[in-house]
């Protein structure tokens, strides 16, 4: 795999808050890599980092830059769903892309429309720099490694696909970025109440195109007590009737493990 020397930072989602902290983390990255910025930190647009048009164009430009090896999202939040159909995927050159949370939408789109190698990972604002060596090693070597606890017995084989539950649900109304191949679905979310987790899982259950491709499910961290989340996991393990696992390694927290998105795995 290609070694990473130059990283392009993009902000395709939420407004960039705490700029001093972000820039401190970028300065640490600059000790190890050449950093190129494809965003304007002075162009906040309500709760978005910029206008839809500017965010889409910056995203394209990062991939057009021949010097760039890895394109990395600064943060999640909200906004990717507003630009995913505005990106000209014919301009996207093969590189690595890493992000999570709201960037789940971009991981799915890039996987569907391009040959970009994508990774579900921490970002600048929630731990990529703090776990820099581990994250870079996984990206460069395409490593899959999770601590899993099996809930519903069985084995599963398919392409690792998923991410933030609420972001996935936002894509269901237009299924062009959903996988056509057998899938091991992985899910996580941040601070949603249990009834909303239930509601969103049921939306996936109702979406035949996605449901019929799911051969196994990995439930990550939902920031809920076991007494709240485990009955939901057990319920949907039964509904989907596929092998299921839980893990604390897929999360918004610092212990999140970077995952090669759409890597074929067998559990």
């Amino acid at each position: 795999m290609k070694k990473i020397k130059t990283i392009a930072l993009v902000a395709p989602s939420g407004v960039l808050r705490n700029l001093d902290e972000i820039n401190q983390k970028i300065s640490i990255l600059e000790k190890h890599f050449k950093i190129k910025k494809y965003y304007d930190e002075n162009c906040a647009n309500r709760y978005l980092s910029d206008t839809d048009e500017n965010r889409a164009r910056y995203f394209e430009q990062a991939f057009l830059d021949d010097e760039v090896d890895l394109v990395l999202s600064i943060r999640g939040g909200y906004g990717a769903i507003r630009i995913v159909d505005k990106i000209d995927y014919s301009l996207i050159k093969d590189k690595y892309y890493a992000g999570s949370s709201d960037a789940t939408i971009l991981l799915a789109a890039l996987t569907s429309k391009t040959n970009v190698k994508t990774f579900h990972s921490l970002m600048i604002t929630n731990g990529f720099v703090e776990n820099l060596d581990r994250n870079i090693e996984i990206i460069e070597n395409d490593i899959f490694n999770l601590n899993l606890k099996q809930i519903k017995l069985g084995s599963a084989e398919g392409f690792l696909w998923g991410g933030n539950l609420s972001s996935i649900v936002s894509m269901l109304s237009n299924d062009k970025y959903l996988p056509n191949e057998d899938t091991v679905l992985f899910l996580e979310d941040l601070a949603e109440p249990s009834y909303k987790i239930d509601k969103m899982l049921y939306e996936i259950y109702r979406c035949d195109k996605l449901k019929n491709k799911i051969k196994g499910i990995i439930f990550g961290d939902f920031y809920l007590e076991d007494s709240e989340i485990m009955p939901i996991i057990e319920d949907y393990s039964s509904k989907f009737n596929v092998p299921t696992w839980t893990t604390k390694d897929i999360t918004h927290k610092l212990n999140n493990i970077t995952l090669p998105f759409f890597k074929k795995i067998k559990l």
Side-chain angles (χ1 to χ4, degrees):
M1 301 289 283
K2 186 178 182 181
K3 297 301 180 183
I4 296 168
K5 297 180 180 178
T6 302
I7 298 176
L9 300 178
V10 293
S13 299
V15 64
L16 299 182
R17 304 186 183 95
N18 304 318
L19 281 171
D20 288 345
E21 181 180 343
I22 288 172
N23 287 327
Q24 286 175 5
K25 292 183 179 182
I26 292 173
S27 68
I28 295 172
L29 273 183
E30 288 175 329
K31 295 177 182 179
H32 304 274
F33 306 96
K34 182 174 182 178
I35 301 299
K36 306 184 86 169
K37 298 180 180 180
Y38 283 95
Y39 61 93
D40 186 340
E41 64 183 32
N42 299 310
C43 284
N45 178 29
R46 296 179 293 162
Y47 35 77
L48 304 167
S49 69
D50 208 326
T51 65
D52 294 347
E53 291 72 19
N54 286 347
R55 286 182 292 121
R57 297 296 84 75
Y58 275 128
F59 196 75
E60 292 168 354
Q61 290 166 16
F63 283 94
L64 281 168
D65 189 331
D66 289 332
E67 191 176 14
V68 169
D69 305 306
L70 167 65
V71 179
L72 174 65
S73 277
I74 293 178
R75 64 156 299 188
Y78 167 73
I81 197 68
R82 293 174 57 116
I83 69 168
V84 68
D85 297 325
K86 298 179 185 295
I87 295 168
D88 183 348
Y89 293 96
S90 69
L91 300 177
I92 303 297
K93 296 185 178 180
D94 294 358
K95 301 182 187 299
Y96 300 118
Y97 173 69
S100 58
S101 188
D102 190 56
T104 294
I105 294 164
L106 299 170
L107 294 171
L110 290 169
T111 299
S112 174
K113 299 294 184 181
T114 75
N115 292 319
V116 170
K117 187 65 180 174
T118 50
F119 291 83
H120 181 273
S121 81
L122 296 168
M123 298 170 286
I124 295 297
T125 57
N126 70 339
F128 190 90
V129 175
E130 289 84 340
N131 295 278
L132 184 59
D133 290 344
R134 182 182 68 178
N135 291 326
I136 294 297
E137 178 188 13
I138 291 172
I139 292 171
E140 289 183 340
N141 296 288
D142 198 31
I143 297 168
F144 170 78
N145 183 23
L146 287 176
N147 294 310
L148 298 172
K149 178 182 178 181
Q150 190 152 33
I151 302 300
K152 184 174 174 58
L153 296 179
S155 60
E157 184 173 358
F159 291 88
L160 191 63
W161 190 95
N164 180 253
L165 175 57
S166 56
S167 297
I168 291 170
V169 169
S170 74
M171 292 190 286
L172 298 183
S173 62
N174 185 336
D175 64 10
K176 64 183 177 181
Y177 303 122
L178 299 183
N180 294 311
E181 296 83 359
D182 288 347
T183 298
V184 176
L185 179 69
F186 67 96
L187 300 168
E188 62 82 33
D189 218 315
L190 173 67
E192 296 284 1
S194 56
Y195 77 91
K196 286 191 177 180
I197 299 296
D198 188 334
K199 179 181 178 180
M200 290 187 286
L201 288 171
Y202 203 84
E203 285 298 305
I204 293 177
Y205 181 72
R206 293 176 67 242
C207 178
D208 287 341
K209 179 171 182 181
L210 181 54
K211 180 178 72 174
N212 293 337
K213 295 298 182 182
I214 296 171
K215 303 305 176 185
I217 304 175
I218 302 171
F219 292 96
D221 188 8
F222 293 91
Y223 285 65
L224 296 171
E225 297 294 331
D226 283 351
S227 59
E228 291 184 272
I229 192 62
M230 285 309 301
I232 296 172
I233 289 174
E234 290 166 358
D235 183 19
Y236 282 92
S237 295
S238 176
K239 279 184 168 60
F240 283 98
N241 195 29
V242 296
T244 59
W245 295 261
T246 60
T247 182
K248 295 297 185 183
D249 291 345
I250 303 174
T251 177
H252 274 64
K253 299 173 186 174
L254 283 173
N255 62 289
N256 180 72
I257 300 294
T258 292
L259 294 176
F261 196 86
F262 219 63
K263 181 182 179 71
K264 192 169 187 179
I265 63 168
K266 186 175 182 178
L267 298 175

